[in-house]
Amino acid sequence: MTLENITFVLGWAAVLNFSLLIVWFIVYASSADKIYQLHSRWFNISREQFSQLHYCGMMFYKLAIFLFLLTPYIGLKFVPS
């Protein structure tokens, strides 16, 4: 694989992962109560813990996208061909 191919793949992977993160946020923001009711049947978890779990999950996922996809993508964009 050439550097151009790797850069292309990293760019599209970042776009797809950010899209998934946005979908996660929209689904959570629009139907958090329904999701909480479903999960509270399976797990003994409070509403605050549930919200904190989703917030930390989204934060970790966004950080992983930045570290593993966007940083290498930007670094490879500055590499001369």
Side-chain angles (χ1 to χ4, degrees):
M1 283 183 93
T2 65
L3 287 179
E4 293 157 355
N5 289 344
I6 295 171
T7 305
F8 180 78
V9 169
L10 285 172
W12 277 107
V15 167
L16 291 174
N17 278 287
F18 265 119
S19 300
L20 183 62
L21 182 64
I22 290 169
V23 168
W24 181 3
F25 174 75
I26 290 170
V27 168
Y28 178 73
S30 65
S31 59
D33 292 330
K34 292 179 184 179
I35 298 171
Y36 173 70
Q37 288 174 358
L38 176 68
H39 286 117
S40 64
R41 286 187 225 160
W42 299 333
F43 307 106
N44 187 15
I45 189 169
S46 70
R47 179 77 171 147
E48 291 80 21
Q49 290 172 328
F50 178 76
S51 296
Q52 185 180 18
L53 247 155
H54 275 278
Y55 180 75
C56 288
M58 288 183 214
M59 180 186 62
F60 177 75
Y61 193 62
K62 184 168 66 170
L63 182 64
I65 294 169
F66 277 115
L67 288 177
F68 298 120
L69 296 174
L70 284 178
T71 303
Y73 174 79
I74 293 168
L76 288 173
K77 279 295 193 180
F78 288 116
V79 172
S81 299

